[in-house]
C-alpha cells in the first residue's frame, strides 16, 4: 500500500485592491468635510458681500442750490446709496420734511443731501452778517476754499483801518469763479460784532486764511 499522499493546500493572499483600507476610508470623510466647510465659507462671504452692497433710497440734489434758498421739489432727486454710519444721509421717505428748509451753504448738484447742510433759520441768522470778500491773487490758499470751510479774515497793511480793525473768523457760504485778473469773491458769514471787517474785505484789502475744521 502506497504511502498516503500529502496534499498541500495553499492559501492565496487577498489582492491589495480587495482590501478595505481604514486610512483611505477616513481620508474620504475628511475630504468630504473639507468640501462642506469650504462651501459654507463661500456662502457666508457671498452673504456678507451682498449685505454690504445693499443700497437704500436717499435724497440727492438735482441742481445747485444757493445758500439761504429754500429747497423746492425740483431741487431733489432720489439716489441709491450704500448706508454709512459716518455719512448722515436723508431717507427718500423724508422728502416732505426737507421741502421748505433752507440751504445753510451753497450745495452742489449731484451730491447726497445731509441734515448738516440744512437749517430752519434764515441765512444769515440773527446777529450774523454776510461779507463779500474780494480776494486778489495771493490773498487765499492755492487750493481755494469751499462752502463750510472755516476761515480767518485779516486786514492787510494797505487798509487805512488795518490797525483799528481786528481779524474776524467766519464760515464760507460760497466761492465765485476767478475774474480775468485772478480775483475771486467769497461769501463769508461772520458775527455781526465784527462788521468793521466788511470795508477792507470789499476793497480787496484782507487776506483769507483757512482754519481747522470745527467738525461741521
Amino acid at each position: 500500500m502506497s504511502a498516503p499522499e500529502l496534499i498541500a493546500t495553499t492559501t492565496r493572499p487577498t489582492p491589495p485592491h480587495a482590501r478595505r483600507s481604514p486610512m483611505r476610508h477616513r481620508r474620504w470623510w475628511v475630504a468630504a468635510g473639507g468640501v462642506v466647510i469650504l462651501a459654507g465659507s463661500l456662502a457666508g462671504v457671498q452673504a456678507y458681500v451682498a449685505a454690504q452692497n445693499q443700497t437704500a433710497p436717499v435724497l440727492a440734489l438735482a441742481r445747485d442750490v444757493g445758500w439761504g434758498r429754500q429747497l423746492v421739489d425740483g431741487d431733489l432727486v432720489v439716489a441709491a446709496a450704500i448706508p454709512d454710519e459716518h455719512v448722515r444721509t436723508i431717507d427718500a421717505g423724508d422728502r416732505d420734511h426737507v421741502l421748505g428748509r433752507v440751504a445753510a451753504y451753497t450745495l452742489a448738484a449731484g451730491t447726497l443731501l445731509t441734515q448738516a447742510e440744512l437749517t430752519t433759520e434764515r441765512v444769515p441768522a440773527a446777529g450774523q452778517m454776510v461779507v463779500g470778500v474780494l480776494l486778489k491773487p495771493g490773498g487765499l490758499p492755492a487750493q481755494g476754499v469751499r462752502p463750510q470751510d472755516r476761515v480767518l479774515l485779516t486786514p492787510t497793511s494797505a487798509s487805512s483801518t488795518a490797525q483799528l480793525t481786528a481779524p474776524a473768523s467766519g464760515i464760507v457760504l460760497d466761492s465765485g469763479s476767478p475774474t480775468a485778473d485772478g480775483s475771486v469773491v467769497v461769501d463769508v458769514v461772520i458775527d455781526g460784532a465784527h462788521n468793521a471787517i466788511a470795508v477792507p474785505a470789499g476793497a480787496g484789502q484782507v487776506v483769507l486764511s483757512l482754519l481747522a475744521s470745527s467738525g461741521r
Side-chain angles (χ1 to χ4, degrees), residues 9 11 26 54 87 92 122 176 184 212:
T9 61
T11 303
R26 191 178 303 116
Q54 187 172 4
V87 181
R122 294 182 58 186
V184 175

Side-chain angles (χ1 to χ4, degrees), residues 13-215:
T14 304
H17 64 272
R19 299 175 185 171
R20 278 188 169 272
S21 171
M23 184 64 69
R24 180 176 298 177
H25 188 68
R26 191 178 303 116
R27 286 177 181 173
W28 184 87
W29 280 106
V30 171
V35 171
V36 172
I37 293 174
L38 179 60
S41 299
L42 290 175
V45 170
Q46 290 175 344
Y48 175 80
V49 171
Q52 293 299 309
N53 291 332
Q54 187 172 4
T55 60
V58 297
L59 294 177
L61 293 166
R63 55 195 176 194
D64 293 344
V65 178
W67 62 264
R69 210 187 86 188
Q70 287 186 320
L71 270 69
V72 297
D73 192 64
D75 296 327
L76 304 175
V77 292
V78 176
I82 298 175
D84 188 329
E85 60 179 359
H86 302 295
V87 181
R88 305 184 70 176
T89 53
I90 301 178
D91 189 85
D94 294 331
R95 188 186 194 103
D96 291 341
H97 299 288
V98 169
L99 297 177
R101 297 188 67 182
V102 176
Y105 317 94
T106 291
L107 308 177
T111 57
L112 300 181
L113 195 61
T114 65
Q115 294 288 357
E117 297 169 332
L118 303 177
T119 180
T120 56
E121 301 178 356
R122 294 182 58 186
V123 179
Q128 295 181 332
M129 65 180 298
V130 176
V131 177
V133 185
L134 174 62
L135 296 167
K136 298 178 180 180
L140 76 167
Q143 68 174 3
V145 290
R146 297 173 297 178
Q148 302 186 52
D149 282 344
R150 294 183 64 244
V151 295
L152 179 68
L153 306 178
T154 306
T156 66
S157 58
S159 172
S160 59
T161 61
Q163 295 181 348
L164 303 176
T165 305
S169 61
I171 303 293
V172 173
L173 298 178
D174 196 6
S175 180
S177 300
T179 61
D181 65 352
S183 298
V184 175
V185 175
V186 177
D187 291 339
V188 179
V189 59
I190 63 172
D191 191 305
H194 299 289
N195 58 359
I197 198 73
V199 174
Q205 297 174 344
V206 299
V207 173
L208 182 148
S209 305
L210 190 63
L211 299 177
S213 172
S214 62

